[in-house]
Amino acid sequence: MPDFIVEWLDRNDIFTAMTLMEYWDGLVTTVHLVFLSLIIGLAVAVPLAILRTVKNPLISGPIWVYTYLFRGTPLLIQLYIIYYGVAQIPGIQETFWWEIFREPLYPALLAFTLNTAAYTTEIIRGAIVSTPHGEIEAAKAYGMNWLLRMRRIILPSAARRAVQAYSNEVIFMLHASAIASVVTIVDLTGAARNIYSRFYAPFDAFIFVALCYMVLTFILVFAFRKLENHLLRHQRPVSS
Amino acid sequence: MKKLMIAASCALALAAGTAHAQDRNLRIAFDVPYEPFEYKDDNGELTGFEVELADAMCEEMQANCEFVIQAWDGMIPGLLARKFDLIMSSMSITAERAERVLFSEPYYNTPGGWFGPNDFNTDVTDMDAMKGKTIGVQRGTTMDTFVTENMGGIVTIKRYTTADDMVLDLEGQRLDAVFVDYPVGEQTVLTKDGFKEVGEPVKLGEGVGVAMRKRDKDLANEVNAALRTLKNDGTYDTIMQKYFNYDIKM
């Protein structure tokens, strides 16, 4: 570390190397948790969104119920139900499920994944149903079957329309992950709360953590802008 | 001239302040539930040892008291932000806290207690045996500091905002044991089947005091005087015996 940072840390009560390490561990936990839940959530959401557009209500109905439930209730409540509720099921401690639900990480991951998958499903479904009719007709005229049409025409076209809404969902998910600290996970917010309760310095502890979230958000915004530029290249005006 | 006017009006305001000492308003903050110190009874009324003591203290000080409910996390910031004037919510006197707030003389002291399921047979003072155990504490309490300083790196420490959440995880077998303020453990853990005290209580800190803003020195003197009277005239003992079968007087 450069000398001036060491010197500054020496004169500082709160931001010692030890507390900065706590923040760092929290950052790793937050990124780990959010990244995994987003990846799994997206992987679940794409097939669900496709099935959600199917006309048969026996297939699209249950998915509608799922997205309705998870978008209609707060994430905090979902996390409470999964974390504390599961532990109350009689005999759960004797089954192999307990290995998974004992630690707070997996219940939180499950709650976050189910929640983000519900939102992402609706985002992608919206993009799929708004595919211009002409594109589909053209694909049909070429003799493409449903699967090929979905793969070559509808999904790539829908991805372009969904990416902006999805970038919002990713940022919301990052911010929503702050509630992981209520189930004893020491994420960024958890680290800030521990440090705050040790030094009784709300401004220092929370402003620092807010800055950490902001930096993460900027990185996400930047990455999504790159992705949008790439996907929506064809919409850019032709430069003279 | 102007300065004199201001000084005069200030003096007048101060005089008015003392003259109306009888109907002075004080707001006292509690974190509920923290049985048996402060909790809501079956009718939803705020009650408990500290609530009754606060009532008696206000009467002694001839002040109108309003009771405010505040989560533990925001206690000291709330006091400093003038959301209330006194904290009587089992706040142990520590050097770190004393830098931010002014404490009265201690009015009680309870030890930290170890509680766990009946099949927990490890000696909590034997660090080798405790290795790898998961211990629950309430975030920011003296019990948290004790476990962090003495057992950090040996046991896994889980920090909770409320005792309720912690006991729920003890019941759910996510925790091997909890280290919690003795009376709280007695009320929340020992009342459940299958749990026991798993170690000797540990005396921590300098006891519990009323916390006030640093500038309220006069108020602190009044509080100390009132507490001393209550401790000597038997009022304190009457209230204590209502809630405890052991001595917490300090």
Side-chain angles (χ1 to χ4, degrees):
Chain A
M1 251 190 279
D3 281 346
F4 72 95
I5 296 184
V6 174
E7 201 182 311
W8 177 73
L9 288 178
D10 281 344
R11 278 189 281 114
N12 194 305
D13 286 343
I14 297 167
F15 296 110
T16 59
M18 207 185 84
T19 54
L20 287 181
M21 262 327 276
E22 285 186 58
Y23 275 118
W24 173 253
D25 289 343
L27 179 81
V28 171
T29 308
T30 292
V31 170
H32 176 83
L33 197 60
V34 173
F35 185 75
L36 275 181
S37 53
L38 284 170
I39 292 286
I40 304 171
L42 185 62
V44 171
V46 173
L48 283 184
I50 295 170
L51 292 175
R52 173 93 164 75
T53 58
V54 167
K55 289 227 166 57
N56 186 343
L58 284 179
I59 297 174
S60 61
I63 301 170
W64 174 81
V65 170
Y66 156 69
T67 61
Y68 193 83
L69 275 180
F70 276 85
R71 295 192 308 151
T73 52
L75 179 55
L76 181 62
I77 308 295
Q78 294 161 15
L79 182 59
Y80 265 134
I81 291 173
I82 294 175
Y83 182 76
Y84 287 113
V86 165
Q88 301 289 310
I89 299 171
I92 180 93
Q93 278 85 0
E94 277 70 50
T95 66
F96 80 97
W97 286 106
W98 190 240
E99 291 301 313
I100 299 165
F101 282 98
R102 186 176 211 272
E103 290 303 313
L105 192 67
Y106 291 106
L109 191 62
L110 183 66
F112 288 1
T113 305
L114 287 174
N115 188 275
T116 184
Y119 279 96
T120 314
T121 301
E122 289 299 318
I123 290 170
I124 298 175
R125 183 200 73 97
I128 289 176
V129 296
S130 63
T131 309
H133 218 64
E135 290 183 18
I136 299 170
E137 277 177 351
K140 280 181 180 164
Y142 271 100
M144 290 185 186
N145 61 22
W146 180 84
L147 200 66
L148 199 60
R149 222 159 51 221
M150 200 46 104
R151 192 158 60 84
R152 287 211 184 142
I153 309 297
I154 300 176
L155 282 183
S157 160
R160 292 195 182 93
R161 265 167 279 126
V163 69
Q164 279 142 338
Y166 184 65
S167 72
N168 267 340
E169 167 59 19
V170 169
I171 290 165
F172 282 143
M173 201 59 224
L174 169 68
H175 294 168
S177 76
I179 64 167
S181 62
V182 302
V183 294
T184 73
I185 294 177
V186 186
D187 66 340
L188 264 177
T189 309
R193 285 169 80 167
N194 284 346
I195 289 158
Y196 156 53
S197 69
R198 205 175 318 138
F199 297 99
Y200 310 104
F203 277 122
D204 315 50
F206 287 125
I207 286 177
F208 184 77
V209 84
L211 289 174
C212 292
Y213 278 110
M214 224 155 87
V215 170
L216 285 178
T217 308
F218 281 143
I219 294 172
L220 285 173
V221 168
F222 180 77
F224 269 98
R225 184 176 302 157
K226 286 272 165 211
L227 183 66
E228 278 171 34
N229 281 345
H230 176 74
L231 286 177
L232 305 176
R233 220 168 11 196
H234 60 286
Q235 286 183 356
R236 244 183 297 165
V238 183
S239 53
S240 51
Chain B
M1 186 64 204
K2 208 168 183 188
K3 267 196 187 140
L4 199 70
M5 289 266 287
I6 294 170
S9 53
C10 282
L12 213 66
L14 276 176
T18 27
H20 289 91
Q22 272 87 347
D23 45 41
R24 170 183 50 173
N25 292 313
L26 286 177
R27 288 160 303 170
I28 308 182
F30 303 96
D31 172 29
V32 290
Y34 203 62
E35 279 180 72
F37 295 98
E38 45 266 327
Y39 58 97
K40 290 187 174 164
D41 64 14
D42 296 339
N43 304 323
E45 298 276 346
L46 192 61
T47 182
F49 170 72
E50 285 184 298
V51 177
E52 285 200 29
L53 190 66
D55 257 334
M57 190 183 83
C58 290
E59 203 171 313
E60 187 65 36
M61 290 165 66
Q62 296 181 318
N64 283 327
C65 287
E66 188 193 332
F67 294 159
V68 181
I69 300 209
Q70 167 68 50
W72 184 253
D73 271 10
M75 266 299 176
I76 290 180
L79 178 74
L80 300 180
R82 297 184 161 272
K83 287 186 179 154
F84 36 81
D85 310 297
L86 304 151
I87 300 171
M88 277 187 84
S89 193
S90 301
M91 185 169 280
S92 305
I93 302 171
T94 65
E96 289 101 327
R97 284 181 186 142
E99 280 180 20
R100 308 293 302 264
V101 300
L102 182 63
F103 277 110
S104 73
E105 287 164 15
Y107 58 90
Y108 84 82
N109 193 12
T110 51
W114 290 94
F115 301 94
N118 281 342
D119 57 8
F120 185 97
N121 288 318
T122 314
D123 178 4
V124 292
T125 55
D126 179 355
M127 292 302 149
D128 288 329
M130 286 297 280
K131 209 170 183 76
K133 301 272 184 213
T134 308
I135 304 298
V137 293
Q138 270 188 280
R139 182 184 283 124
T141 57
T142 43
M143 280 65 71
D144 181 1
T145 315
F146 176 83
V147 173
T148 308
E149 280 174 5
N150 295 292
M151 308 170 90
I154 297 165
V155 297
T156 309
I157 305 166
K158 299 236 168 159
R159 298 183 177 84
Y160 294 84
T161 306
T162 69
D164 287 348
D165 286 352
M166 184 169 72
V167 174
L168 217 49
D169 264 0
L170 182 66
E171 275 186 286
Q173 300 178 22
R174 283 195 176 107
L175 297 172
D176 293 311
V178 297
F179 186 49
V180 63
D181 201 20
Y182 193 89
V184 177
E186 194 185 31
Q187 292 272 338
T188 56
V189 184
L190 290 187
T191 49
K192 297 197 162 64
D193 281 339
F195 292 95
K196 63 170 185 182
E197 200 182 337
V198 296
E200 283 294 308
V202 187
K203 276 263 181 200
L204 294 171
E206 305 167 47
V208 162
V210 184
M212 287 150 283
R213 283 180 290 272
K214 285 217 148 182
R215 65 171 76 96
D216 292 345
K217 296 217 163 55
D218 294 341
L219 180 63
N221 289 335
E222 276 187 76
V223 166
N224 280 335
L227 285 175
R228 230 171 286 144
T229 314
L230 295 176
K231 283 180 194 169
N232 291 332
D233 72 2
T235 318
Y236 183 101
D237 298 292
T238 315
I239 300 173
M240 181 176 80
Q241 276 148 19
K242 214 170 133 185
Y243 291 96
F244 303 96
N245 47 23
Y246 48 89
D247 189 27
I248 62 166
K249 194 168 173 178
M250 194 167 170

